[in-house]
Every structure is written in structure tokens, then in C-alpha cells.
Amino acid sequence: MPATLIPSENAQWFAMLGLGDMPDYSAISITLSNEPIEHWFYKRNKLRPESLKLRLLVPSLGGWRVELERHDELFLAQWRPKDDLRIESQQLRYRKLVAWPRLSSIIDFPQLIGSLERSLEVSVLPHADIGARLIDPETLAANLQLRQWLAPCASSLGWSLKVQPM
């Protein structure tokens, strides 16, 4: 009897968003911050030490990851499939004392934002920047399912610093 192929979590996420089969080696990234996103691209001198950037990367071949980095490099947090949380920091506070939220599924990414705001006592701006490889980011930003999925954490989406209100 042939083994039944179980779609990867990434493939299930793409299907949930109505994106179907993605081209091999394609990827989608979603970036949020507590600063205007353009500061990370071309106004880095406006970033504060405590500026945060949260990025979800979803490659078509599997293995999603979420990275939260602080501008002053005080910590780097990473979430990966199967509830794999990794914290890099020289400070004990960030390695052991912060109640880092868990992320067992890519589907729960929008809820991670609120949990991080509470754990780190920060406010993330309600804007998500969409990046893509081998996919048109403008088409992604107009995708109704993606917009609905991100609604708990983003009231606007952009790509290459162009913004669409939700």
C-alpha cells in the first residue's frame, strides 16, 4: 500500500490563504515592527536601541521560522516548527526570565504579536510588510485571505514601502 503524503505545514498555510501550489524555491516574508517599517530599510539612524523587528519567513519547500530581533542586538528570538523556541542573548533576563510566548504552528502567528507585546511590554505597529521571492508581493498584499488572517495584528499591508489599508 503506498504511503499517504501528508502536506507540509507550509503547504497547508499556502492553501489556507488560497495560494495553492507555490513555485519551488519561492518564499513569503511578513515583517512587523514597533517602528515604521521604512526605518529598517533606509532610515536606520531613526531606530532606537529597543526597536524591534519581527519577521515570519515561509519558504515553499518547508521549514518556516519567525525571528524577533532587537536593533541593539540585546537578543534574538526564533520560533520554528514543532514548538522549537530559541533565545540568544548575553543577558540572563532574556534567556531565562522573560515569559516568551510559544508558537507551535504558523497558523497562530497573528496571535503571537499580542503575546509578545504583553511579555516584552512593547507596542507593535499595526502594519505588516510583505516580501516575496518568485511571487508578486503586490498580489499577496491584495489577497483577501492573507489580509483576514493578519487582521488581528495589522490594519494595513505594504510591500516595498507601498501601503494598502485593510
Side-chain angles (χ1 to χ4, degrees), residues 79-95:
W79 291 262
R80 296 171 187 244
K82 299 182 179 159
D83 202 24
D84 181 2
L85 172 63
R86 303 171 187 192
I87 307 298
E88 296 175 21
S89 179
Q90 297 296 318
Q91 290 194 2
L92 179 66
R93 171 183 183 218
Y94 294 107
R95 288 193 326 269

Side-chain angles (χ1 to χ4, degrees), residues 113-129:
I113 310 312
S115 297
L116 282 170
E117 288 179 321
R118 288 184 295 278
S119 292
L120 297 174
E121 299 177 354
V122 298
S123 292
V124 174
L125 298 178
H127 173 78
D129 190 71

Side-chain angles (χ1 to χ4, degrees), residues 65-120:
R65 137 179 119 248
V66 175
E67 290 186 346
L68 176 65
E69 65 178 278
R70 214 173 114 139
H71 180 59
D72 62 5
E73 300 179 358
L74 201 55
F75 65 78
L76 173 66
Q78 291 185 341
W79 291 262
R80 296 171 187 244
K82 299 182 179 159
D83 202 24
D84 181 2
L85 172 63
R86 303 171 187 192
I87 307 298
E88 296 175 21
S89 179
Q90 297 296 318
Q91 290 194 2
L92 179 66
R93 171 183 183 218
Y94 294 107
R95 288 193 326 269
K96 303 284 183 188
L97 302 178
V98 169
W100 292 99
R102 306 306 291 196
L103 182 63
S104 57
S105 170
I106 188 177
I107 304 299
D108 300 326
F109 173 77
Q111 289 72 37
L112 177 68
I113 310 312
S115 297
L116 282 170
E117 288 179 321
R118 288 184 295 278
S119 292
L120 297 174

